[in-house]
Amino acid sequence: MIEAMNSDSPQPASAPQHFSAEPLDLLILGAGAAGMMAAISCGETALQMSRPLPRIAILEKNTRPGIKVLVCGGGRCNLTNAGDIDFLIAQFGRNGRFLSPALRHFDNTALRTWFADQGEPTHEEHDGKIYPDSNQARTVVDAMVGRIGQLGVVCHAGAGCAAAHVGWNAASGLFSVRTADGSVVQSRYLLICVGGQSYTRMGTTGDGYRFAESLGHQIIKPRPAIVPLLCRELWVSELQGVAVRDVEVRIAISEPLPRLATGKPTPSVNDLLFTHFGLSGPAVLNLSEIVAELLEKFTPVPLRVDFVRRQSRQEMSAMLRAWHDESGRKLVKTMLAQLVPQRLADMLCRLAEIPVEHPCAALTGRQMHTLTEYLKACRFQVHQTRGFKEAMVTAGGVRLDTVDPNTMQSRLNPHLFLAGEILDLTGPSGGYNLQLAFSTGHLAGWAVAQRLANG
Ligand SMILES: Cc1cc2nc3c(=O)[nH]c(=O)nc-3n(C[C@H](O)[C@H](O)[C@H](O)COP(=O)(O)OP(=O)(O)OC[C@H]3O[C@@H](n4cnc5c(N)ncnc54)[C@H](O)[C@@H]3O)c2cc1C
């Protein structure tokens, strides 16, 4: 049994667990961002209503809570985004409206205030990304784990504590959850927030979809999202590690794009990173959910990258013409390196069949045209994503029309709640997905506290 466990504490991975024989008020599956925030919200709401603290327990399959939060933002934890509520909603595409009540209940300002009250102030960086002042995800997890302990919430963590089977008994009005070690825990209310099936090594293997389905919920096909892409152009591997700032990535399918489940806008504008297998970086990652869906219909999916999006095609052609006329003795690759990283400049010259030591004066009209094409509309044939193993989030999940957005309560069973990444909601990189988990988790915890108070 783990109470107020610090994220640094050594964990007895398979310590025997002692589950109370008495049914709990609330059992939470998954001590991730949503689960921990739900436990906190339920306890704090009870205190605000001058009610006794509810009997809450969390089952977590990892040896400690918040493992996935620890890897967020490269270990710095980009815990939310500074955008206003409408902006946040828009990031989630067609399904974003569902989030409106949860965000109005507990938005990014409320989240930052909550963390500041725990001694964990935050600050804004570029693109509205919010990080803890500590720049360490560990302190974010510690703040939540500490508060959970103060509120008397018990977190059972370790492989044996993984929820294995979930059942509902209408006669007793109780959920029974069987754990991997064969124990059974009973509870009046159940919150499932075990995440999606991305980054499987962190314990998120899609268990929640099975639980939700067994309780009557439909699952929208899970797909990897915020995931690097593999492309056929072999030359990209030579650029491994090269980052290009502020590019535009567009899906270049000539026929009208089919109506996609995401309803998210393209193109994507942000930074791009070349990897040994293909493309990554926010501009690509944020488009990857759509690409993953398209790959089921088209292979390969063509992408067009504009490396110099601030110059129009005409401006770019005029610039090359001016280099030719006015900077004739300078090398083309040297001039190009003013626009893109040197290694990419060298590669674009090679692709445009411009010799390494070519001076600008020697540029032909055809070379200028080809170079402009490579700069403004470089084509990549994507044939695969890196899959769930490397996806940061899972698109798809529990169908939203079976969940009440005002409470996160299941419309199929009023004792069941769902929150976080398990829902059919996916945002881009930039703090949106953690805010989704925190907001829906907080709302679910609040709603359970209301139900408990009303008997
Ligand atoms: C590398 C990486 C970096 C990321 N960076 C950011 C970022 O900076 N900002 C951002 O907004 N988002 C980021 N994300 C996404 C973010 O981590 C998720 O959106 C968020 O954690 C989802 O919260 P959740 O509580 O729904 O699920 P999770 O945080 O995934 O928590 C679910 C928990 O349930 C547990 N679990 C699973 N199955 C069971 C079971 N059967 N029984 C018991 N427990 C179970 C898991 O072990 C896990 O602890 C990142 C993701 C990755 C992989």
Side-chain angles (χ1 to χ4, degrees), residues 30 32-34 60-62 68 72-73 78 163 199 203-204 207 421 431 434:
E60 168 54 51
K61 125 195 311 193
N62 282 318
K68 203 155 184 187
C72 279
N78 171 203
Y199 236 65
T204 39
D207 300 355
E421 194 178 322
L434 277 175

Side-chain angles (χ1 to χ4, degrees), residues 29-35 59-62 66-69 71-73 77-78 161-163 193-195 199 202-204 207 211 391-393 419-422 431-435 437:
L29 306 186
L59 294 182
E60 168 54 51
K61 125 195 311 193
N62 282 318
I67 291 267
K68 203 155 184 187
V69 179
V71 298
C72 279
C77 193
N78 171 203
C161 305
C193 44
V194 291
Y199 236 65
M202 297 273 146
T204 39
D207 300 355
F211 301 150
M392 290 192 198
V393 290
E421 194 178 322
I422 191 176
Y432 309 100
N433 290 297
L434 277 175
Q435 181 67 53

Side-chain angles (χ1 to χ4, degrees), residues 130-152:
I130 305 293
Y131 291 88
D133 285 358
S134 68
N135 286 312
Q136 288 181 41
R138 189 177 52 76
T139 61
V140 171
V141 175
D142 285 350
M144 288 193 285
V145 170
R147 188 67 182 132
I148 279 173
Q150 288 166 359
L151 294 166

Side-chain angles (χ1 to χ4, degrees), residues 160-364:
C161 305
H165 179 268
V166 171
W168 164 248
N169 185 327
S172 63
L174 292 175
F175 280 101
S176 292
V177 174
R178 188 161 34 79
T179 62
D181 69 3
S183 310
V184 174
V185 195
Q186 293 194 312
S187 181
R188 292 170 65 194
Y189 290 95
L190 180 70
L191 168 61
I192 304 179
C193 44
V194 291
Q197 68 180 70
S198 51
Y199 236 65
T200 39
R201 62 182 178 277
M202 297 273 146
T204 39
T205 49
D207 300 355
Y209 304 139
R210 185 165 49 83
F211 301 150
E213 260 179 338
S214 74
L215 296 169
H217 282 270
Q218 272 183 34
I219 305 300
I220 303 294
K221 181 179 175 178
R223 291 193 179 92
I226 316 194
V227 62
L229 302 175
L230 285 92
C231 64
R232 290 199 171 146
E233 288 70 21
L234 297 176
W235 55 265
V236 300
S237 63
E238 295 178 48
L239 295 183
Q240 179 181 357
V242 172
V244 195
R245 291 195 64 83
D246 195 29
V247 307
E248 181 187 279
V249 185
R250 203 174 267 280
I251 293 167
I253 292 178
S254 47
E255 48 202 287
L257 273 179
R259 186 181 150 89
L260 294 167
T262 66
K264 290 184 185 155
T266 68
S268 163
V269 174
N270 211 308
D271 302 342
L272 176 145
L273 177 71
F274 286 99
T275 66
H276 66 284
F277 50 77
L279 304 172
S280 188
V284 169
L285 295 174
N286 290 342
L287 211 67
S288 61
E289 178 187 354
I290 302 175
V291 174
E293 192 180 341
L294 283 171
L295 279 170
E296 291 165 10
K297 304 181 177 85
F298 307 87
T299 313
V301 171
L303 294 186
R304 216 167 51 213
V305 175
D306 185 346
F307 290 118
V308 285
R309 66 178 199 91
R310 292 184 189 277
Q311 277 89 27
S312 69
R313 213 172 271 262
Q314 290 74 11
E315 284 167 345
M316 197 60 241
S317 297
M319 194 184 289
L320 290 178
R321 174 67 52 200
W323 293 355
H324 174 275
D325 296 346
E326 295 158 24
S327 308
R329 291 168 65 171
K330 297 220 168 111
L331 298 184
V332 178
K333 63 175 191 180
T334 311
M335 297 301 281
L336 262 188
Q338 296 171 7
L339 300 174
V340 295
Q342 184 68 65
R343 281 170 66 197
L344 176 59
D346 294 351
M347 180 59 76
L348 295 181
C349 284
R350 197 171 106 194
L351 293 171
E353 296 177 3
I354 296 170
V356 189
E357 300 302 320
H358 215 52
C360 291
L363 272 175
T364 65

